[in-house]
């Protein structure tokens, strides 16, 4: 198996890996971060005067930077949206949506969003906590039977990636099953079975480790508490109240049109394939959702400012935990704070996304692209985020360093 860098976000599959809903085989399930606890985030935070006006001159700089990353990383198509109140907006598309036809990528196209799904699933859980259906410090075993350490692992520890459970997407049997038939459906119970065949990695709460198994369990808890299928609850109680018109939790492999084709080399052979029709059920609560550029722009602010939750619960969500290794970054309840940018990213075969919000400038940045193929060990979404923020927020640069593979 070839070496690959760790994908803490989780939902990409590889000849040696399955990550962002999934993490590379043989690789620790997540990057480690040094926590930087963010202050409470308010929709009324003052606009940062240092955020630049998005003038034609700045747009030209951004165009050049995005095109450079696109060429170096060999990304077929990418769309970018950047905005802040009183500063204007920058919305651009570059490249193609379909290699076969050469059709250009467009802002109205649906894309698979990978681990951005985690933000919706955890929001669903937190809504139910607000409704008094559960407490964050309840043990998961109260709601789901058969979980290793289920009497000790709390719902909070699942959401903040501190459970110690084995990541199902690192299991070799899962990898073989997925890559041998990427259109097959998986049930949540099948995914958990891959995880529970392995001993736990550490005691609950002992440390941070990005793990997709955690979100499968959160999804099952949401179903237990709500009495509804997760997709139905998320679509009705999270997506709709957030005002999102082009976002959905699919029941299977359905993919609304128009959509961009997605390209991956995370295959059994290692060759690049069109992954557009692959079934995302293996990511389920950790990475199966679909959205578009406009909706992710709206969701980034909703998520960071907590408009679907009580202020007290949102404050708990934004309280990041230390994870060591990466400066100025921490992980909260299904959300990260990376040098001030709050949100999440996503990756699964054929697609990557990034949707983040910078409270002090009320700035939103969204990047969506139709490949998950790494560029010299770096994730393309990270490369775009870094290039953009170096121009507009040099004091808040979005950067997720690739993590080395142990023993490689």
């Amino acid at each position: 198996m070839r070496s690959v860098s760790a994908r803490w976000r989780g939902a990409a599959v590889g000849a040696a890996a399955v990550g962002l809903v999934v993490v590379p085989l043989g690789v620790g399930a997540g990057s480690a971060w040094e926590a930087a606890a963010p202050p409470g985030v308010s929709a009324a935070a003052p606009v940062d005067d240092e955020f630049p006006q998005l003038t034609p001159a700045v747009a030209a700089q951004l165009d050049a930077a995005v095109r450079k990353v696109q060429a170096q990383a060999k990304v077929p198509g990418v769309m970018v949206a950047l905005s802040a109140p009183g500063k204007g907006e920058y919305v651009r598309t570059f490249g193609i949506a379909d290699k076969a036809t050469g059709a250009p990528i467009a802002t109205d196209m649906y894309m698979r969003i990978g681990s951005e799904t985690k933000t919706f699933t955890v929001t669903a859980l937190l809504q139910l906590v607000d409704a008094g259906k559960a407490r964050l410090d309840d043990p998961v075993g109260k709601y789901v039977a058969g979980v290793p350490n289920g009497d000790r692992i709390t719902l909070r520890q699942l959401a903040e990636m501190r459970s110690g459970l084995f990541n199902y997407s690192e299991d070799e049997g899962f990898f073989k099953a997925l890559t041998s038939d990427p259109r097959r459906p998986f049930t949540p119970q099948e995914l958990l079975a891959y995880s529970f065949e392995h001993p736990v990695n550490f005691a609950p709460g002992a440390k941070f480790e990005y793990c997709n198994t955690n979100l499968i369990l959160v999804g099952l808890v949401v179903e237990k508490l709500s009495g509804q299928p997760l997709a139905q609850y998320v679509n009705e109680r999270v997506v709709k109240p957030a005002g999102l018109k082009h976002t959905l939790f699919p029941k299977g492999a359905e993919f609304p049109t128009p959509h961009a084709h997605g390209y991956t080399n995370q295959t059994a052979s290692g060759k690049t394939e069109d992954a557009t029709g692959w079934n995302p059920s293996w990511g389920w609560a950790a990475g199966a959702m679909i959205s578009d550029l406009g909706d992710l722009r709206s969701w980034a602010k909703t998520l960071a400012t907590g408009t679907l939750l009580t202020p007290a619960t949102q404050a708990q969500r934004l309280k990041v935990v230390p994870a060591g290794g990466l400066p100025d970054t921490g992980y909260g309840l299904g959300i990260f704070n990376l040098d001030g940018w709050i949100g999440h990213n996503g990756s699964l075969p054929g697609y990557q996304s990034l949707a983040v919000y910078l409270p002090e400038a009320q700035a939103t940045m969204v990047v969506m692209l139709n490949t998950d193929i790494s560029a010299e060990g770096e994730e393309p979404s990270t490369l775009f985020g870094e290039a953009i923020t170096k121009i507009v927020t040099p004091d808040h640069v979005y950067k997720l360093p690739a993590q080395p593979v142990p023993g490689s």
Side-chain angles (χ1 to χ4, degrees), residues 289-322:
M289 288 182 68
I290 294 164
S291 190
D292 72 356
L293 188 70
D295 271 12
L296 280 192
R297 293 178 69 184
S298 177
W299 179 245
K301 182 176 180 179
T302 296
L303 177 68
T305 58
T307 55
L308 297 182
L309 304 174
T310 64
T313 297
Q314 179 69 1
Q316 291 192 70
R317 173 169 222 167
L318 295 178
K319 187 177 180 181
V320 298
V321 297

Side-chain angles (χ1 to χ4, degrees), residues 243-257:
L244 308 180
K245 306 297 185 183
H246 302 98
T247 299
L248 72 151
F249 197 124
K251 295 180 180 179
E254 66 268 26
F255 202 169
T257 56

Side-chain angles (χ1 to χ4, degrees), residues 116-307:
E116 302 279 2
T117 303
K118 291 179 171 68
T119 64
F120 290 87
T121 301
V122 174
T123 296
L125 173 66
L126 296 178
Q127 285 180 326
L128 291 162
V129 168
D130 274 342
K133 301 286 188 179
R135 297 180 306 113
L136 280 171
D137 294 318
D138 285 345
V140 65
K142 181 177 179 180
Y143 307 104
V144 182
V147 180
N149 282 341
D151 60 336
R152 299 169 57 204
I153 296 169
T154 67
L155 303 184
R156 185 190 306 275
Q157 288 165 342
L158 292 175
E160 66 185 9
M161 303 294 178
R162 295 171 70 86
S163 73
L165 293 170
F166 183 86
N167 192 342
Y168 70 86
S169 47
E170 293 184 62
D171 179 85
E172 291 188 15
F174 166 76
F175 173 76
K176 291 176 181 178
L178 178 61
T179 56
S180 64
D181 183 8
R183 295 176 184 268
R184 63 159 286 183
F186 286 87
T187 67
Q189 291 73 24
E190 287 175 315
L191 301 175
L192 292 179
Y194 288 114
S195 171
F196 297 169
E197 289 177 353
H198 299 265
V200 298
N201 292 332
F202 52 84
K207 64 178 182 178
F208 171 94
E209 187 174 77
Y210 195 86
C211 173
N212 297 301
T213 304
N214 295 334
L215 266 291
I216 303 304
L217 288 168
V218 171
L220 290 175
V221 171
V222 170
E223 291 193 331
K224 179 78 170 181
L225 296 174
S226 68
Q228 294 179 288
L230 179 64
Q232 180 181 351
Y233 184 91
V234 168
N235 288 331
E236 292 180 358
R237 302 298 296 274
V238 181
V239 171
K240 187 176 180 180
L244 308 180
K245 306 297 185 183
H246 302 98
T247 299
L248 72 151
F249 197 124
K251 295 180 180 179
E254 66 268 26
F255 202 169
T257 56
H259 58 246
H261 284 248
Y263 302 94
T264 187
N265 63 356
Q266 306 298 322
T267 59
S269 67
K271 296 180 180 179
T272 299
E273 297 181 17
D274 186 330
T276 307
W278 290 10
N279 193 324
S281 62
W282 63 272
W284 195 52
M289 288 182 68
I290 294 164
S291 190
D292 72 356
L293 188 70
D295 271 12
L296 280 192
R297 293 178 69 184
S298 177
W299 179 245
K301 182 176 180 179
T302 296
L303 177 68
T305 58
T307 55

